[in-house]
Amino acid sequence: MSTDLVQLDRADKLFHTRHFFSVDPKTGKRHFYQKRPIHAVREMEFGVRAGEIFGLLGPNGAGKTTTVKMICGLVRPSGGHVYVDGLHVEKKRLQVLRRVGVVLEGTRTCIWPLTPRENLAYFGNLKDVRGKVLRQRTDYLLDFIGLSEKRDVQVRQLSQGQKQKLAICIALIADPPVIVLDEPTTGLDVQSSRAIKDKVVEMTREQGKCAVVTTHDMNVAQELCDRIGIVKDGELITCEPTEKLLDIFSEQVYELRLDRHPDTRLLEAVPGVVSTELEDADDGPTCLVKLDPDPELRSQAIYGTVQTLQQQQLLLRSIQQRQQNLESVFLQLTNGHSRPGATE
Amino acid sequence: MGFFLVLKAEIVRGLIIMRRYWFASLTGIFIGYGMLLMLIQALVYGSGQIEDMAEQAVDGGLGFIIGIFAFGIVGLFTQGLQGMARTGELEQVCMSPHGLVTNFMARSLVAAVSSIFSLSIIIALIAWSVEGTLYFAPLPTIVLLALTYLNLIGFGFMVGGLVLIFKQTGQIAMIIRLAMIGLAFPAQESLEGWPISLRVIVHALPVTNASICLKKVLIDGAGWAVLENYAFYFLILSCLVWTTLGIACFRYMENWSRDKGTLGAY
Ligand SMILES: Nc1ncnc2c1ncn2[C@@H]1O[C@H](COP(=O)(O)OP(=O)(O)O)[C@@H](O)[C@H]1O
Ligand SMILES: [Mg+2]
């Protein structure tokens, strides 16, 4: 795994919060002083290769930001190790910082009284980018991200999306091999978030960088990431290539829209049908039929189902396969119902 | 090496902001001058002493200016740091490959030089207004200012470290900063009459020795003769102690803050 640009080896983070005169939510008792542990990240393990966009997907409070902050050295892991480009983040923190560009939550990284160009000059200087290289890189980045027109406008006069774009430019000014984006599209309109997604893809593909993106938005993860790790309560529940993740869960569910309720017992007797379910709507019920994944058996089952419905003289309005998207996968996983057998 | 790169970045930024906000900088100087003149009027001329009024006035003014300088430099590490955390700039600076300490050294140096510049204008204006005299001895002054600066950032790092961890110490830091003005204003060799325990405490604080030495040079025209004054050696000692202690403390607090997961956050 030495080719991984970012590698987490059982990274763990336990926070403590301190409370005075507060009621313990578990026991209901009042304490004068209490130290409560919060296990924000539990033994997280994954690696990200060059040219890859890795997504950390999870609900609010899942531990995404904490994970990201461990990669860029803002949070010290309480257990395990984090490596960037083969360097141990704790032991070689300053060297690691040369190799990562980070955009944290909230688009607040830039200095407001300065213009985008001056911001880039300032942060470029901080990161040893100087002179001609700095100017070229500034022009290139502002052009790349589409901020050229605003290069000489003070940051305070920029919109939220433009600030976020500038924050990305700042993260990229030293041309780091690793870029970390924490919730890059939150609070942005469709166009800005589209533009940012496109740029991230372009950058990773063309320049062989590796990107770690966190998001709570399925669509962003699905469109952007090559591989997705789903985090819940600090735990990495699954970590698979996006396609595969969708595949695992793309059950063979067909929706049959009918005029009346069918006899589901007869349907379930058809070989290849795993289960059925009825959903009522204004214009008649929809029967969800889950079929066996085996193609042969499935084909049989589809014929059988249609025949059975015909025998019952039902009006078959339409038949279609239910689309599986990341959202439902996510909900299934985070509700803890099923864990895909494919992991580990 | 890294220090100079950061310093350059800070200088460029400082110049841009000064140019962009020149009106505020300029009015700041005049307001400072006006206020100080009023203060001197009330404290010195109002006290009814007759002899050496001008010298008293310049002395008080200079003490006050040194206090303001201390107030500003230490403020950079307290309110300034909190402000940076609030805007999110601190997170980026924490992730600069030169480290937070280097960054704050460069940042405070730029702030120190620019405030020395504007404060010199103010004190020169004061001296001229009250018809007092200021002796101009460039080298001793520069040496003393450099020592004062080191002394102050040592102290600044100390309280800055505390602010990194205990966000609520900002208010206490404010009081400390105000106390520094209070100390620098009257600081003179008259301290010699004080009980020894009080004298030790006062000399251990970062601005007293600096204030005494600077007054010697600028008002009494002592020049290098300031080396004969015990306060100078106190200054060097407290410089060494505060800077070492301050930076060590700050480093420690920075790591602790990373443990707590609040580095750079407000
Ligand atoms: N500095 C901190 N101190 C204590 N608890 C924290 C700290 N930072 C985050 N947490 C807790 O850790 C959990 C994960 O937070 P975070 O990583 O910010 O989640 P996410 O970014 O996925 O929304 C949350 O329950 C949060 O309350
Ligand atoms: Mg977050």
Side-chain angles (χ1 to χ4, degrees), chain B residues 6-38:
Chain B
V6 183
L7 188 63
K8 186 181 147 209
E10 286 297 335
I11 291 175
V12 171
R13 188 178 69 139
L15 287 177
I16 291 170
I17 293 193
M18 214 194 310
R19 198 186 57 205
R20 197 154 290 158
Y21 295 95
W22 60 271
F23 185 73
S25 320
L26 218 61
T27 43
I29 291 181
F30 283 108
I31 290 174
Y33 164 67
M35 302 257 291
L36 197 52
L37 205 57
M38 264 154 51

Side-chain angles (χ1 to χ4, degrees), chain B residues 169-199:
Chain B
T169 45
Q171 300 309 320
I172 301 172
M174 189 69 192
I175 295 171
I176 296 177
R177 292 167 65 196
L178 286 172
M180 291 174 104
I181 297 188
L183 265 177
F185 187 50
Q188 279 171 7
E189 277 171 297
S190 59
L191 286 177
E192 276 165 24
W194 290 24
I196 189 80
S197 53
L198 265 181
R199 269 174 71 189

Side-chain angles (χ1 to χ4, degrees), chain A residues 263-277 288-289 308:
Chain A
D263 185 346
T264 49
R265 274 170 307 146
L266 286 176
L267 280 177
E268 275 164 19
V270 176
V273 173
V274 180
S275 64
T276 61
E277 204 181 311
L288 301 175
V289 186
T308 319

Side-chain angles (χ1 to χ4, degrees), chain B residues 78-260:
Chain B
T78 56
Q79 265 74 16
L81 193 118
Q82 282 182 325
M84 279 167 72
R86 214 171 301 131
T87 60
E89 195 187 329
L90 190 59
E91 273 172 345
Q92 279 296 321
V93 174
C94 286
M95 288 186 291
S96 109
H98 303 293
L100 201 53
V101 170
T102 314
N103 265 285
F104 264 87
M105 285 223 245
R107 192 175 280 263
S108 58
L109 183 57
V110 173
V113 171
S114 80
S115 65
I116 286 174
F117 185 73
S118 52
L119 292 176
S120 314
I121 297 180
I122 295 183
I123 190 63
L125 282 176
I126 294 278
W128 172 74
S129 312
V130 300
E131 292 171 359
T133 37
L134 274 179
Y135 291 90
F136 185 60
L139 264 175
T141 311
I142 287 172
V143 169
L144 283 178
L145 283 176
L147 287 173
T148 313
Y149 162 76
L150 284 177
N151 213 326
L152 286 174
I153 61 164
F155 187 71
F157 273 120
M158 183 86 140
V159 274
L162 292 177
V163 171
L164 271 183
I165 294 284
F166 309 104
K167 314 275 171 203
Q168 296 171 10
T169 45
Q171 300 309 320
I172 301 172
M174 189 69 192
I175 295 171
I176 296 177
R177 292 167 65 196
L178 286 172
M180 291 174 104
I181 297 188
L183 265 177
F185 187 50
Q188 279 171 7
E189 277 171 297
S190 59
L191 286 177
E192 276 165 24
W194 290 24
I196 189 80
S197 53
L198 265 181
R199 269 174 71 189
V200 169
I201 292 177
V202 168
H203 278 295
L205 284 169
V207 80
T208 326
N209 304 305
S211 187
I212 294 176
C213 294
L214 277 170
K215 282 178 179 174
K216 272 247 165 261
V217 172
L218 293 176
I219 292 175
D220 302 346
W224 282 118
V226 72
L227 295 182
E228 288 160 21
N229 195 302
Y230 71 97
F232 183 77
Y233 300 97
F234 264 119
L235 179 62
I236 291 184
L237 185 72
S238 86
C239 226
L240 289 175
V241 174
W242 277 114
T243 334
T244 326
L245 207 70
I247 290 179
C249 167
F250 193 79
R251 285 239 160 88
Y252 178 79
M253 294 295 193
E254 187 186 348
N255 277 328
W256 186 6
S257 170
R258 292 201 304 125
D259 256 342
K260 287 185 38 146

